[in-house]
Amino acid sequence: MGIRTASEPSLRHFLTGLGRAAGGAIIFALPMLMTMEMWALGFTLDVWKLCLLLVATIPVLLGLSYYGGFRCTFSLKDDLADVFVGMLIAGLMSTFVLWLFGVLTLETSLREAIGKIAVQVVPGGIGAMLARSQFGGDSATDDLRRERSSYWGELFMLATGALFLSFNVAPTEEIILIAFQMDAWREAALALASLLLMHVFVYVSNFKGGDERGAASHLSMFLRFSLTGYVLSLLISMAMLWIFGRSDGLSFYSFLSAALVLGFPASIGAAAARLVL
């Protein structure tokens, strides 16, 4: 009787975590599940790039599980288990939604179907890992997340936010179009606006989740977090453009211009991640 009583809460919490993960996966993946460019990428993206994307997603989800996954974990083994459970849930939910939309049918080839689902695992997996912070958690969970927080952990969160939003936008043609429409002065203004908006959004405005370390000077916070976060956003933007083939045939200047354009939503995503997490 005592054993059953001890195990029931654990099972209930695990099932609650799975429900949160499923909800988070749909919310985060839905914009891409309804985007034609993402459907096409599942078929046109090189297999090795698709595999690289999935492999690179694992450490990202591992970090998210450590800082705030869909259930509270206390060991690397549990975090790894949750990563693959989250990816599985993201894949299943994406398959179901794509089937409902008629994107996946009996006539869809196996290669195309796997590609379309695999591309959605990245945003869906991130949503699954962030489910607890979005759909509720106890005070003990929040205290644990604060205890685990560190400078490198905060940079990781910034990078994750940049990855998510840049992943949403990078496959679209509009990024390249906007880059071609902008001159050097507008590009410089966009870079400055991205950097300053990122700093104001997180560290100056009194939003919930904003930085509370009042002892540190604004210059120190700007250099250590805002500037570093913006550089991370640009690097991630470049990586996304390359993976999705948007850098093919571009000169270095055109590629840099596209990265600056994509860096705008990426930097906003980085700032928002600090507020959410």
Side-chain angles (χ1 to χ4, degrees), residues 202-277:
V202 178
Y203 300 107
V204 177
S205 299
N206 293 319
F207 286 117
K208 180 181 179 181
D211 200 281
E212 299 174 353
R213 281 169 285 199
S217 68
H218 281 300
L219 178 60
S220 174
M221 300 305 297
F222 178 81
L223 294 175
R224 295 174 64 238
F225 289 97
S226 300
L227 182 59
T228 303
Y230 182 62
V231 171
L232 287 174
S233 298
L234 285 180
L235 292 175
I236 290 170
S237 297
M238 291 178 180
M240 290 297 99
L241 290 171
W242 173 73
I243 285 179
F244 292 138
R246 294 307 183 194
S247 61
D248 297 348
L250 294 181
S251 65
F252 176 76
Y253 176 78
S254 297
F255 176 59
L256 182 59
S257 297
L260 288 173
V261 172
L262 186 57
F264 180 67
S267 62
I268 300 302
R274 284 275 292 122
L275 298 178
V276 170
L277 299 173

Side-chain angles (χ1 to χ4, degrees), residues 35 64 108 128 194 204 217 275:
T35 304
L64 289 176
T108 305
S194 300
V204 177
S217 68
L275 298 178

